[in-house]
Amino acid sequence: MRNCAAVQSRPFNIAQTLQEALSLHQQGRLREAEKLYARTLKAAPNNFDALHLLGLIKAQAGQMGEAYRLMSAALKINPNAPDALVNFANVLHALKRDPEALEWLDKALALRPGDQEALLYRGNALSSLDRTEEALSCFNSVLACNAGHADALLNRGIALARLGRPAEAIVDFDVLLARSPGHVEVLYNRGTALLDVERPDQALASFDAALVIAPHHVDAWTNRGRALQALNRHSEAVASFEKTIAIDKNHADAHSNMALSLLTLGQLPRGFAEYEWRWKRTGMSDARRGYRGRLWLGEFPLGHRTILLVAEQGLGDSMQFVRYAAPLARAGATVLLEVQPELKALFATVDGVASCLARGEALPAYDVYCPLGSLPLALKTESTTIPAEIPYLRADDAHIAKWRPAIEALPGKRVALAWAGHARHPNDRNRSIALKLLEPLFALDGISFISIQRDVRSDDSAVLARHRNVTDVGDKLADLADTAAVTTLADLTIAVDTSVVHLAGALGREAWVLLPFSPDWRWTLTGEHSPWYPQIRLFRQSRPGDWPGVIAAVHDALGVAPK
C-alpha cells in the first residue's frame, strides 16, 4: 500500500481576497465580486470592508433590505467611514427613509466637508421630503465644484422646475442633452418643463424622443398626451393616454386626463366613466371618504330614497352640475345638497332641492350620496340629453331689490365684467387676463361696465381707477347671491372662464366667454356655443395667447362705434 502525504491547505488571505473582489467590483463583474466578499465574511464575519462592499453590491442589485442589513452591521464596527455613511444613506433613501438618510449624510459631511456625493444624495433626500429649496442649495454646491456633474445638473433642473422656474430648468436640461442626446430622463423632464412654459409643440418632440429610446416610459406617454391636449389634438391625446394605460392599467393621471379629452370631443358616456378616476389623480384627495352610507352612481333606481349631492371641486363645477337636482326629484328622490358656503343662499331655491346645507354643517339622515361631478355618469348623460332647463338658478327678490338702484342708475348698456379667476387655479395663467387688455372696450360709447371681480390684482387696480365708465362693485359682493343679482340686472356679462360664466349660464342670462386656445372640456373645441349653456356665446383664441384677437372680436360684436 502506498503512503499518501497529507495535503496542506493554503491559509485564507483576507486582504488579497478583498483586493481581488474590489477589482472585480470595479470592473462591473458583480456576481464574482459578491462570491469573494461572501467568502471573506465566512472567514471574518466582522470584516468592515466585506460587509460594506457586499452591502453595496446588494444595493446595486436592488436588494435594499439585504443592503441595509449588511451596511448597518458594517457601521456598527466603524461608524466614521464617510464612504460607508454615504452609501448607507443612499440605501435609506431608496427605502423611503429620507429623514434617517439626512442624519447619516450630515455625519459624512462632518467627517468630509464638501463631499460631492454626500451633497448630491443629501439633495435627493431633501427633494423627496419636498424641501426643494434646500435640495437646490445642495445641487448648486456640487456644481460650484464640478460644473459638468451630470446627476447634479439633472436633479437641479428637476428642482428648479418644481420651484416654478422651468425656464432655468430647461437650460440645465439642454446642457445635458448637448452631451448626451439620448438621455431619457433628461428628455422627459425637459418635455415637462416645456409644458410649464407653454411650449407644447417642443414638449411633444422631447417626449417623442424619450419614447423612441424607452417605449414603456409611462409618464412620458402621459405627459405626451398633455402636450397634445394643449395643442387641441385631443384624439391623439386619447391614444397617448391609452398607451400609458396599456402599460399600467391603474395609472390614475392617464385615466383622468383622458377623461378630459373624451369630454372635450363630446364623447360624454365614456368620458364621464373615465372621469371617476379623478379621485385618484396626483394631488387629489378623495373627499368621498368623509361620507357615510352608499355611493350612488346610477346602479339602481333611487325610488323614494333620500340622496345627498355633494359639492366637490370649484364653484363653477357646482353650478354646472346642480342642474341634475330637478330630474332626480321628479323621479321621486328627496334631494339634499351640501355645497360651498358661498353657494348656500343661491342654491336654496334650486328646483327639486329639499334642503341646502353649507359644507361643515350637520347633515340630516340620507340613504345614498353622490358627488355633483358624478351625476352625468349616474344619469347616463349624452350630448343630446344634457338637462337644459335653463334657468335653473335665480336671484332672489331681496338681493335684486338691494342692487337694483345702483345698477339701474348706470347709463346705457350695462355690462358686468370679470377678467380673472382664482390665482391658485392650476390653469390660471391661461384663463385669466390682465385688465389692461380690456381697455379697448372701455373706449366705447354708450356702455357702463360693472366690475364684479371680487379679487382685484395689484396691476389691475390702477386700470380700474382711470376709467370712469367702469363701476367696481367686487368688494361689495358678500356671496354669489349678490353676484347673481348684479348679473341678472345687467344686460350682458363678459368674462373669462370662471364661476361667473357658470352663474350667468345657469341664470339664463346673456354672457360672452373669452376662451384660451385650449379651452376647458365643457366648452368643446369649435363653435360659438356649448351644449351646457346654449345661450352663452364663446369667443375663442385662434392661436395660443392671442387675447388681443379675442378682445377685438368682442369689441366688434358689441356693435358700438368707438369714441
Side-chain angles (χ1 to χ4, degrees):
M1 180 180 289
R2 293 179 58 189
N3 292 325
C4 295
V7 178
Q8 297 286 328
S9 62
R10 238 178 5 155
F12 183 72
N13 189 321
I14 291 176
Q16 182 180 337
T17 303
L18 277 174
Q19 190 59 46
E20 291 175 16
L22 183 59
S23 176
L24 292 166
H25 196 162
Q26 291 169 338
Q27 294 171 50
R29 296 162 64 181
L30 301 187
R31 297 189 71 177
E32 297 168 73
E34 181 178 351
K35 290 178 182 177
L36 292 181
Y37 291 139
R39 282 181 59 195
T40 301
L41 286 175
K42 190 173 271 190
N46 292 322
N47 184 282
F48 167 79
D49 288 324
L51 286 165
H52 168 219
L53 295 170
L54 182 57
L56 184 57
I57 282 186
K58 296 294 186 183
Q60 289 171 292
Q63 300 175 41
M64 294 302 170
E66 188 63 9
Y68 175 86
R69 183 187 69 80
L70 290 161
M71 290 188 185
S72 294
L75 288 167
K76 287 178 182 175
I77 297 164
N78 180 5
N80 296 313
D83 287 336
L85 290 166
V86 170
N87 289 330
F88 183 55
N90 203 32
V91 169
L92 288 166
H93 171 64
L95 292 169
K96 303 189 184 302
R97 294 166 62 173
D98 290 291
E100 296 171 69
L102 286 176
E103 293 177 14
W104 291 96
L105 289 166
D106 288 341
K107 290 178 183 177
L109 287 165
L111 292 165
R112 196 159 64 195
D115 183 273
Q116 290 187 25
E117 195 170 24
L119 285 167
L120 177 69
Y121 290 157
R122 190 172 190 275
N124 293 345
L126 288 164
S127 290
S128 295
L129 294 168
D130 290 327
R131 294 163 59 180
T132 312
E133 286 281 6
E134 295 171 77
L136 181 62
S137 178
C138 289
F139 301 138
N140 281 335
S141 295
V142 175
L143 292 165
C145 299
N146 180 2
H149 194 296
D151 287 340
L153 274 170
L154 172 59
N155 292 346
R156 183 174 72 174
I158 294 170
L160 287 165
R162 287 177 65 181
L163 290 168
R165 297 159 62 181
E168 296 170 70
I170 292 167
V171 173
D172 280 350
F173 298 144
D174 285 345
V175 169
L176 285 167
L177 286 176
R179 190 188 312 163
S180 303
H183 194 303
V184 171
E185 285 309 303
V186 176
L187 286 165
Y188 166 73
N189 283 287
R190 180 176 181 271
T192 302
L194 286 163
L195 277 180
D196 289 338
V197 295
E198 299 174 37
R199 290 155 60 184
D201 50 344
Q202 295 176 44
L204 180 62
S206 200
F207 294 131
D208 282 342
L211 288 163
V212 167
I213 304 160
H216 290 88
H217 195 305
V218 292
D219 290 333
W221 281 115
T222 302
N223 282 354
R224 180 180 185 272
R226 290 178 55 221
L228 288 162
Q229 286 177 319
L231 293 166
N232 281 348
R233 293 160 59 180
H234 286 275
S235 294
E236 294 171 77
V238 169
S240 197
F241 296 132
E242 288 174 335
K243 287 282 191 179
T244 299
I245 294 164
I247 300 166
D248 177 4
K249 65 180 181 180
N250 294 317
H251 198 292
D253 286 353
H255 281 286
S256 185
N257 279 296
M258 183 166 70
L260 301 181
S261 281
L262 290 166
L263 294 172
T264 302
L265 293 167
Q267 299 179 35
L268 301 193
R270 186 183 172 198
F272 280 118
E274 292 290 341
Y275 193 55
E276 289 303 297
W277 282 89
R278 68 194 182 277
W279 303 106
K280 297 181 180 179
R281 72 175 187 244
T282 301
M284 182 77 165
S285 58
D286 192 342
R288 299 173 300 176
R289 294 174 184 162
Y291 296 90
R292 60 164 183 79
R294 182 172 181 178
L295 171 67
W296 181 77
L297 294 177
E299 306 92 331
F300 53 86
L302 284 178
H304 293 287
R305 293 177 178 87
T306 297
I307 183 169
L308 174 68
L309 304 183
V310 179
E312 51 168 293
Q313 297 186 53
L315 301 175
D317 294 273
S318 297
M319 285 186 271
Q320 179 178 357
F321 296 127
V322 77
R323 69 181 68 206
Y324 286 91
L328 288 172
R330 283 197 301 271
T334 298
V335 179
L336 310 178
L337 272 180
E338 185 200 48
V339 298
Q340 299 92 332
E342 304 97 310
L343 291 172
K344 180 179 177 180
L346 182 63
F347 278 16
T349 61
V350 171
D351 288 343
V353 173
S355 179
C356 184
L357 302 106
R359 186 180 291 153
E361 293 181 344
L363 295 173
Y366 58 89
D367 300 306
V368 296
Y369 72 94
C370 183
L372 283 171
S374 295
L375 287 170
L377 173 67
L379 275 70
K380 300 175 175 55
T381 302
E382 299 186 21
S383 296
T384 56
T385 62
I386 295 170
E389 298 165 0
I390 295 172
Y392 55 87
L393 294 182
R394 60 188 62 86
D396 65 73
D397 292 341
H399 283 86
I400 291 286
K402 170 184 172 182
W403 284 98
R404 187 184 299 279
I407 302 304
E408 292 190 347
L410 298 173
K413 186 170 186 173
R414 302 162 189 130
V415 177
L417 201 62
W419 58 92
H422 202 294
R424 291 196 297 273
H425 190 281
N427 197 37
D428 180 68
R429 67 179 183 272
N430 287 319
R431 66 177 194 157
S432 295
I433 62 177
L435 181 58
K436 64 182 179 182
L437 290 175
L438 296 175
E439 289 191 284
L441 305 184
F442 303 155
L444 294 169
D445 280 325
I447 299 179
S448 291
F449 291 95
I450 309 158
S451 167
I452 54 174
Q453 186 71 42
R454 294 184 68 182
D455 299 310
V456 177
R457 302 178 190 184
S458 56
D459 292 345
D460 295 333
S461 298
V463 179
L464 277 176
R466 65 175 175 255
H467 290 284
R468 293 184 178 178
N469 61 337
V470 182
T471 301
D472 182 14
V473 302
D475 60 353
K476 300 178 180 66
L477 301 171
D479 56 21
L480 281 163
D482 274 334
T483 310
V486 174
T487 305
T488 298
L489 291 164
D491 299 304
L492 170 68
T493 295
I494 297 176
V496 295
D497 181 11
T498 69
S499 59
V500 165
V501 170
H502 294 275
L503 178 61
L507 289 167
R509 303 299 297 166
E510 185 181 4
W512 295 356
V513 188
L514 318 181
L515 293 176
F517 176 74
S518 181
D520 195 62
W521 64 266
R522 64 207 85 211
W523 309 119
T524 68
L525 279 179
T526 59
E528 287 193 351
H529 300 282
S530 161
W532 295 92
Y533 303 109
Q535 88 281 12
I536 284 182
R537 184 175 177 184
L538 308 177
F539 290 79
R540 302 175 184 273
Q541 287 184 358
S542 58
R543 61 183 184 276
D546 184 25
W547 286 122
V550 171
I551 303 306
V554 170
H555 182 285
D556 292 344
L558 280 170
V560 182
K563 292 179 181 178

